[in-house]
Amino acid sequence: MGLNKKSVDDINVKGKRVLVRCDFNVPLKNGEITDETRIVAALPTIKKLLNDGGKVILCSHLGKVKNGPNEGESLAPVAKRLSEKLGKEVNFVADYNVTGEAATKAVEAMKEGDVVLLQNTRFRGKEETKPSEAGEAFAKELADLADDYVCDAFGSAHRAHASVAVVTKYITEKGGNNAVGYLMQKEIDFLGNAVENPVRPFVAILGGAKVADKLNVIDNLLEKADTLIIGGGMAFTFLKAKGYEVGNSLVDNEKIDYCKEMMAKAEKLGKKLLLPIDTTIADHFPDPIDGPIDVQIVDATAIPADKEGLDIGTKTAELYADAVKSAKTVVWNGPMGVFENPTLAAGTIAVAKALAETDATTIIGGGDSAAAVNQLGFADKMSHISTGGGASLEFLEGKALPGVVAADDK
């Protein structure tokens, strides 16, 4: 995987129009932004381009846009918040066509240091389609607005969408640069390099509900990591594969043979594969999810047939924390249990605490683990928290991400 990409520090944008693909897919409630993390994360790249005299044209998707363009998924609130953050007006082009006449005029009128934000790219309806189905035309129109292109939307980098990957072809045709922004660069530096050239010992921790979601990640990380730790709901499929009774715990019966293969592979490669040695059980899943629940901790070999495992136990938490202590690189993706419940968050907290206290480079691979670390107050103790859910997983699988591949090599 080529990870040595041109960044915003390698291009000269003075007087040029720069199209920047951001990730402004922020949560909205009644038209108000409830979490501005993604907007704040985009600021360093935008400010760098503005300070260098670029004319900055921003684009992003927001939401899934199932029923066509609608004001509820317009980027108007983002434009407003961005204007406040940048201390200058962001000219929002509300046109649902995204790259139509209004956008062309707005870009033509730009001076150095100006910012234009285009409407939600998915309003066009061709953003996600295969290039042959007119995503190609949309990509070309986006490129027509600019001289250079910067991708800073890691959360979308695993998609070969018009505004993420296809646009680069047309920028190249006109002799422009395709670079990555600071956010993307950070993801490549941490996540990409952790998997490709980690400082050892390298410990990978995988949790979450299903084995099926992490098949290729488990396989790839077994080859790359020195120790692979399994927690969360997916651990019970491994325990069942070992012949243990797992009661009503979450099990992926179709993946039992796969788990056996992975355990055999770990042994063959001389890698440590750690599974829970005890588990926190209850009569049933908590309802509501954060409601009070009675639990007990039993050995992983002694789960009663009528109980359900919902978190790792205290001995397991110690075992996992110990494995992290001597590590130099740790990647963590997926909680250890039902972390949304205060009683069942103990395992996830123990792992987060162990990561917070180690000198290793600690990388949180997006999604639920990022949410858990933020929620539990350990975010500032981690080296890097990935901004992409699906993209982080695919990076950990060792897959080439279209949004990264499309950027020019240095």
Side-chain angles (χ1 to χ4, degrees), residues 186-207:
K186 202 171 171 220
E187 298 280 4
I188 293 169
D189 289 347
F190 279 99
L191 258 184
N193 288 318
V195 178
E196 293 303 314
N197 356 293
V199 181
R200 298 188 182 278
F202 172 28
V203 175
I205 307 169
L206 291 179

Side-chain angles (χ1 to χ4, degrees), residues 11 14 87 120-121 125 136 140 144 168 178 187 192 214 264 275 330 337 373 389 398 407:
I11 59 175
K14 185 159 176 57
N120 187 340
T121 53
E136 198 81 43
K140 183 176 187 314
D144 285 345
T168 59
N178 295 295
E187 298 280 4
K214 308 259 166 93
L275 296 171
V330 186
V373 166

